[in-house]
Structures are given as C-alpha cells and as structure tokens.
C-alpha cells in the first residue's frame, strides 16, 4: 500500500491531512491487492512473465507516464488551494505526489526491516524523480501565472516529452538520463569553478614539512660506557709497558 499510494500518503503528511485518506477507497485497495497477488503469487508466474514482454511493458510504461502528469498537476492544485502564493510548497507537493513511491521507499524499507539509507531519492535522484520535479516546477509556474500557457497545453507538452523519452529509453535499452548533459554543464559552471582561495582542509604532510623550517638540533657529546673506558685504560697500559 505504501508503494501504490506513496504519493498521496506523503502529500497528506506534508499538508497536515490524514495520511490514511487514500486507504478509504475500497475499490482501489482491492485492485492493488489483486495486482500484488497476481504479480508475486500467480501460478507459473504468468502475470509477471506476460507483463515483462517488451510490447506490453511499453504500453504499461506509457500509461504510467500519463498518470504521472495527472498526479503532479493534482498535487500542485491541492497545494494551491491552501497556499496561493506558496510556489515552493506547490513544487514540493507536486513532486511528492508524482514520485511519492520512490521518496517514501526508505520508510517502506524500514517497515520491512531493511534499512538502506544510501538509496535515498533526495540524495541521489533517479530519472523518474527528476522528471517529476521538473513537471512540478512547470505546473507551479503555470498555476501562479508566471508561465503563460494553458493547463491542457502544458499537460500535452509535458506528457509527450515524458512518453517519448521513456519509449526511447526502453526501445534503445539506454539508461542514460536526457538531463545528463545539462547537469554536467551546470555542475562545471556553478559548482566546479576554480577558487583562488585555499580549501578549508587539513594541509598535507609534504606542505607542512616544506613550510616549517628545520631547526638546528644541538649535538650532544656521547657518553662513554664503562666498558669503553676500561678498554681504553688497558690499551694505554699495554702501550706504556711496550715502551718501557
């Protein structure tokens, strides 16, 4: 249920609404439960093997992208009812509504007894989260009249982009994000520039050795051990005896 209704649950928590409200629809609960059973416990694994075929999988992925558009727009309009000028709130709720299944995955793992904090979507965004965030920004700007477009026109443009790009990735088998070149340019321009100031890190041992001048250490006279002194006395006695 957290995977199927993660967006509605997460947006409800963020807007101080009952997070169990999505579970009040009995038809959706029965449908999600039936699909879960067929995917994992269908005899001979027929459900999963049939949906894994490329043509049917492509159709299901396209349907998912169309649903994503409605979810993002629904989250933005839901936030606009409470915060008319809250642009950041609209973006956050729209992104949570569209990509809630991935954003709530850490809590879902914790419920199952598997804790993997390195898979946090906010730290390392997947393609679906990135495209959902972009859609939330566009729809929030359109709802606040900063983007001079009608809602249905923006929905058509955004849905076409997501569907075409998802189909391209599936047909070519490429996992590279279309935003990779833009991200690389932005990273090099905004976050990887040359700084004339020294980094606030501990200097290396070589730099410390070069910067600190070597101090002259006074040499101490070696103390003679008793054995060495006795040997010298014997040698002088032998020499004196020979001379005599």
């Amino acid at each position: 249920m957290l995977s199927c209704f993660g967006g509605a649950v997460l947006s409800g928590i963020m807007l101080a609404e009952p997070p169990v409200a999505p579970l009040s629809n009995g038809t959706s609960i029965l449908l999600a439960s039936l699909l879960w059973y067929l995917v994992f416990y269908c005899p001979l694994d027929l459900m999963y093997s049939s949906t894994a075929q490329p043509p049917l999988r492509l159709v299901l992925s396209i349907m998912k992208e169309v649903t994503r558009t409605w979810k993002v727009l629904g989250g933005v309009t839901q936030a606009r009812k409470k915060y008319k000028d809250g642009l950041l709130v609209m973006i956050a709720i729209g992104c949570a509504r569209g990509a809630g299944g991935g954003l709530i995955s850490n809590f879902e793992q914790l419920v199952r007894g598997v804790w993997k904090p390195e898979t946090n979507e906010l730290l390392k965004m997947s393609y679906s989260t990135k495209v959902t965030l972009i859609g939330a920004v566009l729809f929030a700007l359109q709802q606040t009249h900063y983007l001079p477009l009608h809602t249905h026109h923006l929905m058509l443009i955004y849905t076409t982009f997501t569907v075409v790009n998802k189909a391209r990735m599936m047909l070519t088998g490429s996992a590279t994000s279309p935003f990779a070149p833009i991200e690389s340019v932005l990273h090099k321009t905004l976050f990887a520039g040359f700084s004339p100031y020294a980094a606030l890190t501990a200097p290396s041992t070589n730099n410390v050795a070069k910067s600190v001048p070597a101090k002259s250490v006074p040499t101490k006279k070696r103390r003679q051990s008793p054995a060495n002194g006795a040997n010298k006395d014997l040698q002088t006695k032998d020499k004196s005896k020979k001379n005599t």
Side-chain angles (χ1 to χ4, degrees):
M1 295 301 108
L2 287 175
S3 298
C4 296
F5 306 102
V9 172
L10 187 59
S11 62
I13 294 174
M14 296 175 67
L15 291 174
E17 295 181 355
V20 296
L23 305 180
S24 61
N25 191 344
T27 305
S28 300
I29 297 298
L30 290 176
L31 182 60
S33 302
L34 178 62
L35 291 176
W36 166 79
Y37 179 80
L38 291 177
V39 167
F40 290 98
Y41 298 101
C42 182
L44 301 178
D45 209 8
L46 293 177
M47 185 67 179
Y48 178 77
S49 59
S50 60
T51 54
Q53 298 298 322
L56 186 55
R57 186 182 176 188
L58 180 61
V59 174
L60 294 175
S61 299
I62 290 174
M63 293 173 62
K64 183 178 180 181
E65 296 301 324
V66 175
T67 308
R68 187 193 306 277
T69 304
W70 287 100
K71 286 183 178 181
V72 174
L73 180 59
V76 172
T77 54
Q78 182 184 4
R80 189 171 181 269
K81 292 178 181 178
K82 289 189 174 182
Y83 305 95
K84 293 184 178 180
D85 298 327
L87 184 62
L88 185 59
V89 178
M90 297 180 194
I91 295 173
I93 300 301
C95 184
R97 193 71 178 269
L103 295 174
I104 208 172
S105 61
N106 286 108
F107 180 71
E108 177 258 337
Q109 291 171 359
L110 184 62
V111 171
R112 292 189 293 112
V114 181
W115 177 242
K116 295 180 180 180
E118 67 274 4
T119 60
N120 194 341
E121 279 288 329
L122 293 177
L123 300 179
K124 190 176 181 181
M125 290 187 178
S126 60
Y127 164 74
S128 59
T129 305
K130 291 178 182 179
V131 76
T132 304
L133 178 60
I134 292 175
V137 172
L138 294 177
F139 282 110
L141 293 175
Q142 189 271 331
Q143 290 291 322
T144 52
H145 305 290
Y146 288 107
L147 191 62
L149 280 175
H150 294 288
T151 304
H152 55 277
H153 290 163
L154 183 58
M155 289 180 64
L156 178 61
I157 296 172
Y158 178 72
T159 306
T160 304
F161 171 76
T162 55
V163 167
V164 170
N165 192 63
K166 187 68 175 182
R168 178 192 63 83
M169 294 175 66
M170 292 187 64
L171 293 175
T172 59
S174 174
T176 57
S177 173
F179 311 118
I182 302 175
E183 292 175 357
S184 178
V185 172
L186 290 177
H187 176 264
K188 293 179 180 179
T189 305
L190 301 178
F191 301 104
F194 174 75
S195 178
Y197 302 101
L200 298 178
T201 56
S204 61
T205 55
N206 294 331
N207 296 334
V208 173
K210 291 179 181 179
S211 60
V212 178
K215 295 181 179 180
S216 58
V217 181
T219 57
K220 295 182 179 179
K221 293 183 178 180
R222 242 178 173 178
R223 293 183 180 179
Q224 294 182 356
S225 61
N228 293 335
N231 292 334
K232 287 184 177 181
D233 292 339
L234 291 174
Q235 290 176 1
T236 53
K237 287 181 180 179
D238 291 339
K239 288 181 179 179
S240 60
K241 287 179 180 179
K242 288 180 181 179
N243 294 331
T244 55

